[in-house]
mmCIF file of all heavy atoms in Angstrom:
data_model
loop_
_atom_site.group_PDB
_atom_site.id
_atom_site.type_symbol
_atom_site.label_atom_id
_atom_site.label_comp_id
_atom_site.label_asym_id
_atom_site.label_seq_id
_atom_site.Cartn_x
_atom_site.Cartn_y
_atom_site.Cartn_z
ATOM 1 N N ARG Q 359 12.059 26.692 -29.963
ATOM 2 C CA ARG Q 359 12.865 26.832 -31.166
ATOM 3 C C ARG Q 359 12.014 26.415 -32.364
ATOM 4 O O ARG Q 359 11.020 25.722 -32.268
ATOM 5 C CB ARG Q 359 14.138 25.941 -31.079
ATOM 6 C CG ARG Q 359 13.847 24.471 -31.134
ATOM 7 C CD ARG Q 359 15.127 23.644 -30.952
ATOM 8 N NE ARG Q 359 14.891 22.228 -31.212
ATOM 9 C CZ ARG Q 359 14.343 21.361 -30.364
ATOM 10 N NH1 ARG Q 359 13.932 21.773 -29.183
ATOM 11 N NH2 ARG Q 359 14.173 20.108 -30.729
ATOM 12 N N GLN Q 360 12.487 26.816 -33.552
ATOM 13 C CA GLN Q 360 11.913 26.378 -34.794
ATOM 14 C C GLN Q 360 12.682 25.171 -35.307
ATOM 15 O O GLN Q 360 13.890 25.127 -35.276
ATOM 16 C CB GLN Q 360 12.009 27.493 -35.848
ATOM 17 C CG GLN Q 360 11.149 28.721 -35.536
ATOM 18 C CD GLN Q 360 9.678 28.505 -35.951
ATOM 19 O OE1 GLN Q 360 9.393 27.627 -36.730
ATOM 20 N NE2 GLN Q 360 8.825 29.319 -35.372
ATOM 21 N N GLU Q 361 11.926 24.157 -35.748
ATOM 22 C CA GLU Q 361 12.562 22.954 -36.254
ATOM 23 C C GLU Q 361 11.668 22.332 -37.343
ATOM 24 O O GLU Q 361 10.524 22.034 -37.074
ATOM 25 C CB GLU Q 361 12.785 21.939 -35.114
ATOM 26 C CG GLU Q 361 13.501 20.664 -35.541
ATOM 27 C CD GLU Q 361 13.700 19.695 -34.392
ATOM 28 O OE1 GLU Q 361 14.525 20.039 -33.498
ATOM 29 O OE2 GLU Q 361 13.000 18.697 -34.358
ATOM 30 N N ALA Q 362 12.212 22.190 -38.549
ATOM 31 C CA ALA Q 362 11.517 21.582 -39.618
ATOM 32 C C ALA Q 362 10.162 22.277 -39.864
ATOM 33 O O ALA Q 362 9.127 21.630 -40.137
ATOM 34 C CB ALA Q 362 11.292 20.090 -39.413
ATOM 35 N N GLY Q 363 10.140 23.612 -39.776
ATOM 36 C CA GLY Q 363 8.946 24.384 -40.081
ATOM 37 C C GLY Q 363 7.919 24.359 -38.963
ATOM 38 O O GLY Q 363 6.789 24.852 -39.206
ATOM 39 N N GLN Q 364 8.253 23.876 -37.793
ATOM 40 C CA GLN Q 364 7.289 23.848 -36.697
ATOM 41 C C GLN Q 364 7.925 24.478 -35.447
ATOM 42 O O GLN Q 364 9.157 24.483 -35.276
ATOM 43 C CB GLN Q 364 6.827 22.433 -36.342
ATOM 44 C CG GLN Q 364 5.853 21.850 -37.413
ATOM 45 C CD GLN Q 364 5.250 20.552 -36.900
ATOM 46 O OE1 GLN Q 364 5.906 19.566 -36.736
ATOM 47 N NE2 GLN Q 364 3.939 20.555 -36.716
ATOM 48 N N ILE Q 365 7.072 24.949 -34.526
ATOM 49 C CA ILE Q 365 7.574 25.472 -33.274
ATOM 50 C C ILE Q 365 7.695 24.314 -32.267
ATOM 51 O O ILE Q 365 6.750 23.565 -32.046
ATOM 52 C CB ILE Q 365 6.595 26.556 -32.668
ATOM 53 C CG1 ILE Q 365 6.351 27.641 -33.660
ATOM 54 C CG2 ILE Q 365 7.181 27.117 -31.384
ATOM 55 C CD1 ILE Q 365 5.301 28.692 -33.158
ATOM 56 N N ARG Q 366 8.913 24.146 -31.708
ATOM 57 C CA ARG Q 366 9.124 23.091 -30.734
ATOM 58 C C ARG Q 366 9.273 23.681 -29.346
ATOM 59 O O ARG Q 366 9.933 24.688 -29.158
ATOM 60 C CB ARG Q 366 10.416 22.308 -31.098
ATOM 61 C CG ARG Q 366 10.412 21.688 -32.468
ATOM 62 C CD ARG Q 366 9.416 20.568 -32.527
ATOM 63 N NE ARG Q 366 9.518 19.867 -33.810
ATOM 64 C CZ ARG Q 366 8.669 18.910 -34.196
ATOM 65 N NH1 ARG Q 366 7.686 18.554 -33.400
ATOM 66 N NH2 ARG Q 366 8.814 18.353 -35.370
ATOM 67 N N PHE Q 367 8.616 23.041 -28.400
ATOM 68 C CA PHE Q 367 8.654 23.485 -26.992
ATOM 69 C C PHE Q 367 9.178 22.345 -26.142
ATOM 70 O O PHE Q 367 8.715 21.181 -26.263
ATOM 71 C CB PHE Q 367 7.255 23.897 -26.530
ATOM 72 C CG PHE Q 367 7.173 24.234 -25.074
ATOM 73 C CD1 PHE Q 367 7.497 25.498 -24.594
ATOM 74 C CD2 PHE Q 367 6.767 23.279 -24.146
ATOM 75 C CE1 PHE Q 367 7.418 25.796 -23.257
ATOM 76 C CE2 PHE Q 367 6.679 23.555 -22.802
ATOM 77 C CZ PHE Q 367 6.970 24.835 -22.353
ATOM 78 N N GLU Q 368 10.067 22.662 -25.243
ATOM 79 C CA GLU Q 368 10.601 21.678 -24.304
ATOM 80 C C GLU Q 368 10.587 22.263 -22.883
ATOM 81 O O GLU Q 368 10.940 23.414 -22.652
ATOM 82 C CB GLU Q 368 12.040 21.248 -24.673
ATOM 83 C CG GLU Q 368 12.118 20.483 -25.981
ATOM 84 C CD GLU Q 368 13.558 20.121 -26.322
ATOM 85 O OE1 GLU Q 368 14.487 20.500 -25.543
ATOM 86 O OE2 GLU Q 368 13.807 19.470 -27.360
ATOM 87 N N ARG Q 369 10.176 21.409 -21.963
ATOM 88 C CA ARG Q 369 10.212 21.808 -20.522
ATOM 89 C C ARG Q 369 11.034 20.793 -19.784
ATOM 90 O O ARG Q 369 10.784 19.590 -19.812
ATOM 91 C CB ARG Q 369 8.779 21.841 -19.968
ATOM 92 C CG ARG Q 369 8.756 22.102 -18.454
ATOM 93 C CD ARG Q 369 7.360 22.013 -17.890
ATOM 94 N NE ARG Q 369 6.481 23.072 -18.321
ATOM 95 C CZ ARG Q 369 5.474 22.959 -19.167
ATOM 96 N NH1 ARG Q 369 5.224 21.765 -19.717
ATOM 97 N NH2 ARG Q 369 4.717 24.001 -19.486
ATOM 98 N N THR Q 370 12.066 21.272 -19.065
ATOM 99 C CA THR Q 370 12.865 20.416 -18.189
ATOM 100 C C THR Q 370 12.491 20.733 -16.759
ATOM 101 O O THR Q 370 12.655 21.835 -16.261
ATOM 102 C CB THR Q 370 14.363 20.690 -18.406
ATOM 103 O OG1 THR Q 370 14.695 20.439 -19.759
ATOM 104 C CG2 THR Q 370 15.195 19.694 -17.557
ATOM 105 N N GLU Q 371 11.888 19.733 -16.082
ATOM 106 C CA GLU Q 371 11.420 19.983 -14.722
ATOM 107 C C GLU Q 371 12.488 19.868 -13.667
ATOM 108 O O GLU Q 371 13.601 19.400 -13.944
ATOM 109 C CB GLU Q 371 10.257 19.055 -14.440
ATOM 110 C CG GLU Q 371 9.029 19.333 -15.324
ATOM 111 C CD GLU Q 371 7.760 18.697 -14.821
ATOM 112 O OE1 GLU Q 371 7.689 18.313 -13.616
ATOM 113 O OE2 GLU Q 371 6.811 18.569 -15.594
ATOM 114 N N GLN Q 372 12.124 20.255 -12.457
ATOM 115 C CA GLN Q 372 13.087 20.351 -11.370
ATOM 116 C C GLN Q 372 13.229 18.996 -10.689
ATOM 117 O O GLN Q 372 12.245 18.370 -10.287
ATOM 118 C CB GLN Q 372 12.590 21.397 -10.330
ATOM 119 C CG GLN Q 372 13.442 21.521 -9.115
ATOM 120 C CD GLN Q 372 14.834 21.950 -9.407
ATOM 121 O OE1 GLN Q 372 15.037 22.909 -10.158
ATOM 122 N NE2 GLN Q 372 15.834 21.280 -8.861
ATOM 123 N N ALA Q 373 14.460 18.581 -10.501
ATOM 124 C CA ALA Q 373 14.752 17.370 -9.743
ATOM 125 C C ALA Q 373 14.601 17.669 -8.241
ATOM 126 O O ALA Q 373 14.959 18.741 -7.747
ATOM 127 C CB ALA Q 373 16.166 16.905 -10.019
ATOM 128 N N ALA Q 374 13.973 16.688 -7.541
ATOM 129 C CA ALA Q 374 13.706 16.915 -6.116
ATOM 130 C C ALA Q 374 13.787 15.611 -5.347
ATOM 131 O O ALA Q 374 13.805 14.528 -5.964
ATOM 132 C CB ALA Q 374 12.292 17.477 -5.959
ATOM 133 N N THR Q 375 13.910 15.707 -4.049
ATOM 134 C CA THR Q 375 13.992 14.526 -3.199
ATOM 135 C C THR Q 375 13.435 14.868 -1.806
ATOM 136 O O THR Q 375 13.372 16.034 -1.435
ATOM 137 C CB THR Q 375 15.427 14.052 -3.063
ATOM 138 O OG1 THR Q 375 15.459 12.775 -2.389
ATOM 139 C CG2 THR Q 375 16.280 15.001 -2.285
ATOM 140 N N TYR Q 376 12.985 13.836 -1.133
ATOM 141 C CA TYR Q 376 12.542 14.013 0.260
ATOM 142 C C TYR Q 376 13.735 13.857 1.209
ATOM 143 O O TYR Q 376 14.584 12.966 1.028
ATOM 144 C CB TYR Q 376 11.475 12.938 0.616
ATOM 145 C CG TYR Q 376 10.060 13.308 0.128
ATOM 146 C CD1 TYR Q 376 9.589 12.741 -1.046
ATOM 147 C CD2 TYR Q 376 9.250 14.128 0.844
ATOM 148 C CE1 TYR Q 376 8.309 13.060 -1.486
ATOM 149 C CE2 TYR Q 376 7.984 14.444 0.437
ATOM 150 C CZ TYR Q 376 7.527 13.911 -0.738
ATOM 151 O OH TYR Q 376 6.253 14.202 -1.182
ATOM 152 N N GLN Q 377 13.751 14.713 2.196
ATOM 153 C CA GLN Q 377 14.803 14.699 3.211
ATOM 154 C C GLN Q 377 14.176 15.103 4.552
ATOM 155 O O GLN Q 377 13.599 16.179 4.690
ATOM 156 C CB GLN Q 377 15.938 15.654 2.835
ATOM 157 C CG GLN Q 377 17.204 15.483 3.641
ATOM 158 C CD GLN Q 377 18.336 16.374 3.130
ATOM 159 O OE1 GLN Q 377 18.051 17.413 2.518
ATOM 160 N NE2 GLN Q 377 19.549 15.996 3.352
ATOM 161 N N GLN Q 378 14.249 14.162 5.516
ATOM 162 C CA GLN Q 378 13.625 14.375 6.825
ATOM 163 C C GLN Q 378 12.128 14.758 6.651
ATOM 164 O O GLN Q 378 11.627 15.623 7.358
ATOM 165 C CB GLN Q 378 14.408 15.438 7.624
ATOM 166 C CG GLN Q 378 15.787 14.963 8.033
ATOM 167 C CD GLN Q 378 16.432 15.898 9.037
ATOM 168 O OE1 GLN Q 378 16.139 17.085 9.049
ATOM 169 N NE2 GLN Q 378 17.349 15.397 9.780
ATOM 170 N N GLY Q 379 11.488 14.084 5.728
ATOM 171 C CA GLY Q 379 10.055 14.303 5.525
ATOM 172 C C GLY Q 379 9.668 15.523 4.738
ATOM 173 O O GLY Q 379 8.482 15.798 4.576
ATOM 174 N N VAL Q 380 10.651 16.260 4.281
ATOM 175 C CA VAL Q 380 10.373 17.529 3.535
ATOM 176 C C VAL Q 380 10.901 17.396 2.150
ATOM 177 O O VAL Q 380 12.044 16.934 1.929
ATOM 178 C CB VAL Q 380 11.020 18.707 4.275
ATOM 179 C CG1 VAL Q 380 10.777 20.016 3.488
ATOM 180 C CG2 VAL Q 380 10.455 18.855 5.660
ATOM 181 N N LEU Q 381 10.124 17.847 1.148
ATOM 182 C CA LEU Q 381 10.568 17.799 -0.242
ATOM 183 C C LEU Q 381 11.373 19.033 -0.567
ATOM 184 O O LEU Q 381 10.973 20.187 -0.288
ATOM 185 C CB LEU Q 381 9.332 17.777 -1.161
ATOM 186 C CG LEU Q 381 9.637 17.529 -2.643
ATOM 187 C CD1 LEU Q 381 10.286 16.175 -2.852
ATOM 188 C CD2 LEU Q 381 8.354 17.655 -3.463
ATOM 189 N N GLY Q 382 12.573 18.814 -1.123
ATOM 190 C CA GLY Q 382 13.474 19.886 -1.545
ATOM 191 C C GLY Q 382 14.164 19.532 -2.820
ATOM 192 O O GLY Q 382 13.995 18.460 -3.367
ATOM 193 N N THR Q 383 14.955 20.521 -3.310
ATOM 194 C CA THR Q 383 15.600 20.290 -4.609
ATOM 195 C C THR Q 383 16.721 19.218 -4.507
ATOM 196 O O THR Q 383 17.274 18.981 -3.438
ATOM 197 C CB THR Q 383 16.197 21.582 -5.150
ATOM 198 O OG1 THR Q 383 17.138 22.113 -4.173
ATOM 199 C CG2 THR Q 383 15.127 22.589 -5.407
ATOM 200 N N TRP Q 384 16.991 18.618 -5.644
ATOM 201 C CA TRP Q 384 18.085 17.682 -5.788
ATOM 202 C C TRP Q 384 19.315 18.381 -6.317
ATOM 203 O O TRP Q 384 19.155 19.235 -7.198
ATOM 204 C CB TRP Q 384 17.705 16.513 -6.711
ATOM 205 C CG TRP Q 384 18.770 15.537 -6.962
ATOM 206 C CD1 TRP Q 384 19.714 15.616 -7.980
ATOM 207 C CD2 TRP Q 384 19.087 14.372 -6.213
ATOM 208 N NE1 TRP Q 384 20.527 14.545 -7.919
ATOM 209 C CE2 TRP Q 384 20.185 13.755 -6.850
ATOM 210 C CE3 TRP Q 384 18.491 13.782 -5.105
ATOM 211 C CZ2 TRP Q 384 20.767 12.577 -6.354
ATOM 212 C CZ3 TRP Q 384 19.069 12.621 -4.665
ATOM 213 C CH2 TRP Q 384 20.173 12.007 -5.282
#
Side-chain angles (χ1 to χ4, degrees):
R359 70 184 189 280
Q360 292 280 341
E361 183 180 290
Q364 287 191 294
I365 305 176
R366 301 293 186 186
F367 173 85
E368 293 179 357
R369 175 186 290 108
T370 303
E371 294 197 17
Q372 176 63 47
T375 188
Y376 280 97
Q377 192 175 25
Q378 293 188 335
V380 177
L381 188 63
T383 57
W384 176 271

